Amino acid sequence: MTGASLYSRDEAALSALQKLRFFPLAVARGEGCYLIEEDGRRLLDLSASWGAASLGHGHPALRDAIDGALAVQAGASILSGTNAIAVELAETLLRLTPGDGDRRVWLGHSGSDANETVARVVPAATKRPRMMAFSGAYHGGTQGSMAVSGHSAQDGVAKEDGLTLVPYPDPFRPFNGDASGQALLDYIEHLLETSCPGEEVACFFMEPIQADGGLIVPPPGFLGGLAKLCARYGILTVCDEVKVGLARTGSLHCYMHEGFTPDILVLGKGLGGGLPVSAVIGPAWVMDHAPAFSMQTLHGNPVCAAAALAVLKTIGTEHLSHAARVTGDALQGHILTGAQSVPEIGDVRGRGLAVGVELVDPSTNAPDADLARKTVYRAWQLGAVFYYVGMQSNVLELTPPLTLTAQQAEEGAALLLTAVQDACAGLVSDADVAPFAGW
Ligand SMILES: Cc1ncc(COP(=O)(O)O)c(/C=N/[C@@H]2CCCCNC2=O)c1O
């Protein structure tokens, strides 16, 4: 279809089943922290495709690693034969992930297939019929990962029979009015002693920052306390760091902020720097439960494994944990300063380069989803890309490349604040956003 715009060609050729759209973004190329549209317009990418493009776009370390692996393509999988790069990736992940005892790494394509694998193998290995997770959690878009999720976007999708969902501790909208999280811990302990017997629970899925649920940072000590509670009942802790892991929050693993080490760690998105690769790191007695238990043809392919190795190495050589902490603090600081004159910004929160900006009706503190959808549309018009999350679709989520510079952080904050103010001023109409379903 010559002459038609890239976006209109997308609409004519690609299935809507896999689209979560907020504005007509059509990317011709990427360059560092910028996306470039077909007319050459440069957009500051404050999402990195929901956190996946952890090194930005076209990072030389990634390109060299992928080129090198492809040049000597050592097969296409570890399904029925191993390859050196996949083994090196697994060994590197074991080295970089604290944990006791004999452990193994499962390599997959996505956060979904990784979490689905955990949701299947842990009950099988423990012979315990129940699992627990948080309302608001998005652990994936496949049947098995949705079955242990609690996000409102997945309402109506079948849950695991033995799943118990509990509220996530949100200091901005606290459970029973207790911002410390202790009332929620007490509630969970009560469940484990009554309707959800702890000795029947195989695992507890948790995000150290609940991302799609609203970029919610739990109160200090909550997750450490939950981990102690789980240990008392022999419940395995499953830490889903698919979005906030791998240096994004200012430490290599986000759980390190919370004073506990999970039994099982799930990684994805940024692990591949934009290529599809995920990982589950856990005890050998679980991860070796049975052969051919969770397999896909291209799992552990050397090209994606090489990308992951390049990301892990670059996090070290470019000190990206430290960079994320410093740049993220600056980003939050700029937004907080500007928010003083924007009452519709009810809360600014996050760790490092995982930042949430909650939009509310200032007269009631009620979530303002309409403002969020118009803000992200306006931001795209102004030259920045970010989306919204939250059970009420009212929290702007910033998960830029870890290579974001201080200047780009300042630029991004200014664009975000202007977008909120313009949306408040009615510069985006209902008709502008009507074609985009969002979530
Ligand atoms: C904490 C967490 N765990 C697992 C997943 C699923 O990862 P995949 O989308 O790579 O299967 C995700 C995916 N999150 C969604 C992906 C769908 C669109 C909305 N934005 C996200 O970041 C996630 O945030």
Side-chain angles (χ1 to χ4, degrees), residues 93 102 201 205 224 254 317-318 367 380 414:
L93 286 168
D102 196 13
V201 181
F205 281 86
C254 186
T317 56
E318 295 187 10
W380 168 74

Side-chain angles (χ1 to χ4, degrees), residues 20 50 110-112 115 138-139 207 212 240 242-243 269 439:
L20 179 66
W50 299 98
S110 67
S112 299
N115 281 314
Y138 186 105
H139 294 301
E207 295 169 78
D212 291 326
D240 179 348
V242 168
K243 188 174 297 184
K269 286 183 187 270
W439 62 338

Side-chain angles (χ1 to χ4, degrees), residues 10-72:
D10 163 274
E11 290 178 306
L14 284 164
S15 163
L17 291 178
Q18 61 192 154
K19 294 176 181 175
L20 179 66
R21 300 291 171 88
F22 304 85
F23 37 79
L25 176 64
V27 181
R29 46 194 276 273
E31 193 179 286
C33 291
Y34 291 92
L35 298 171
I36 298 151
E37 294 181 312
E38 55 185 334
D39 63 358
R41 188 166 82 108
R42 292 166 66 86
L43 304 171
L44 181 58
D45 186 5
L46 295 175
S47 174
S49 298
W50 299 98
S54 48
L55 299 186
H57 307 282
H59 194 292
L62 203 56
R63 281 170 33 212
D64 293 348
I66 293 162
D67 288 347
L70 212 47
V72 294

Side-chain angles (χ1 to χ4, degrees), residues 258-274:
E258 301 297 342
F260 82 106
T261 299
D263 298 299
I264 294 173
L265 177 66
V266 184
L267 300 171
K269 286 183 187 270
L271 177 62

